[in-house]
Each structure stands twice: as structure tokens, then as C-alpha cells.
Amino acid sequence: MLFSVTTQGHAQGNNQAWQALREGRALLMLRHALAPGTGDPSHFVLDDCSSQRNLSAQGRAQARAWQALLARHDITEARVFTSQWCRSRDTATGMAVGEVIEWPALNSFFRNRNAGPGQTRDTIRLVNDLGPGLPVILVSHQVNITALTGVFPASNEGIVLALPLSESPTVLGRVSPSSR
């Protein structure tokens, strides 16, 4: 298994982004692993995974691949916060690096774009209110990540963001485990 890591800037950017994440000067925000389709079915119910788009077998493997990538960068435990959508929760759980805590601010607003600005502000506030501790990982959705960062992440792609978060966060790197 190989891992691909792309970051903005020169080659040392990879190490600097990972170091910032380890030291609590950055967080990792990632789009849930592969869940084929777009949006959610019309019969979507938050508490019923059978009514939602869910991770494929490949998506479950992608989620598990995060554990090895993080360990390779000396992150074996983290504070993990996730959207309440099953595909995000399953990604966060599959990473197996810490207790998974649901944050409604990370829920998809694909069907209700008007909720985006408020959820983005809530995410920024929640992150900035965290005290020091283990590295922070957020698992969310493309619309949430794009609203905050301007980056359109692929499924299972993570963005390393400098802390404290702001409405114009500094992107330190883009990371993704991949098997080739």
C-alpha cells in the first residue's frame, strides 16, 4: 500500500503540515470515504442508514486506510468529530484513531444551502473552543469543506488547516491515503 500526499508549496510542506497537525497547530478536515452517488435520496432519514447513501466496500477500505497513514506520521490517537450522516460516521469510526463525536455543524447542507454560512461559523467556533490535546480530525462533506476552504475535495481526501480557524483558513496541505 502506498500513500499519496499533495501539499501546496515545496516538498517540506508535507512534513510541516503533518508536524502542525501533531503539535495542535492544525487540524485535518476530510470528506467522507467513497459513497457512490450525489446528495441524498428523497426518503433520507438521519437516524436510518438504510435511507442514506452509504460507504461502498471500497469506501470502507478507504476509511480504514487513514489509520495507517496517520500512524506513519506518528498520529495514533486523535479527537474525531463527525457529521451525523452515516457515511461520515462510518468513515470516522473506520479510521479507528479515537472516540467519534457527532457535531451537527458538520452535517451536509447540500439540500439546504442557506444553512451553510451558519454551520460554517459554528464549525469555526467549535474548533476554536477546543482546548489543547490530541490532534483534531473533522469528517464532513464536500459542500461543508468547500464552503470553509474553497477547496473541492475528492471522496476520502483531507485538508490540513492551520489553527485557529477563520473564515479564510490557511490550507497547509491536501492528504489522502490510497492503495495503488
Side-chain angles (χ1 to χ4, degrees):
M1 182 176 288
L2 297 174
F3 299 95
S4 66
V5 179
T6 57
T7 62
Q8 295 179 348
H10 49 80
Q12 284 191 331
N14 294 349
N15 292 332
Q16 291 172 355
W18 288 112
Q19 183 174 352
L21 182 60
R22 280 190 305 273
E23 294 175 353
R25 296 181 292 109
L27 66 79
L28 173 62
M29 184 174 198
L30 64 110
R31 182 178 178 186
H32 59 77
L34 185 62
T38 303
D40 287 296
S42 59
H43 62 281
F44 171 89
V45 176
L46 185 61
D47 295 328
D48 180 3
C49 292
S50 70
S51 73
Q52 301 180 31
R53 279 179 37 231
N54 291 292
L55 298 183
S56 64
Q58 181 181 358
R60 289 187 296 279
Q62 288 176 337
R64 289 188 301 271
W66 278 103
Q67 185 181 32
L69 176 59
L70 291 165
R72 182 174 166 210
H73 293 282
D74 299 319
I75 299 170
T76 57
E77 290 183 274
R79 293 177 283 175
V80 183
F81 302 93
T82 185
S83 156
Q84 295 174 298
W85 269 231
C86 295
R87 58 188 174 268
S88 291
R89 282 196 335 246
D90 291 346
T91 299
T93 302
M95 296 171 77
V97 292
E99 177 186 2
V100 175
I101 299 170
E102 294 179 0
W103 272 3
L106 296 172
N107 289 352
S108 175
F109 49 81
F110 183 81
R111 294 174 104 185
N112 181 11
R113 303 290 173 121
N114 292 335
Q119 284 183 230
T120 300
R121 283 189 301 275
D122 287 348
T123 298
I124 292 167
R125 179 186 51 76
L126 287 164
V127 166
N128 290 338
D129 285 350
L130 290 172
L134 293 170
V136 174
I137 299 173
L138 308 179
V139 182
S140 193
H141 306 267
Q142 175 271 311
V143 293
N144 302 65
I145 296 167
T146 302
L148 176 61
T149 67
V151 173
F152 192 105
S155 291
N156 206 46
E157 181 179 13
I159 313 297
V160 180
L161 301 170
L163 292 173
L165 274 187
S166 69
E167 291 189 15
S168 298
T170 300
V171 175
L172 300 177
R174 296 174 72 166
V175 297
S176 178
S178 62
S179 56
R180 291 187 182 157

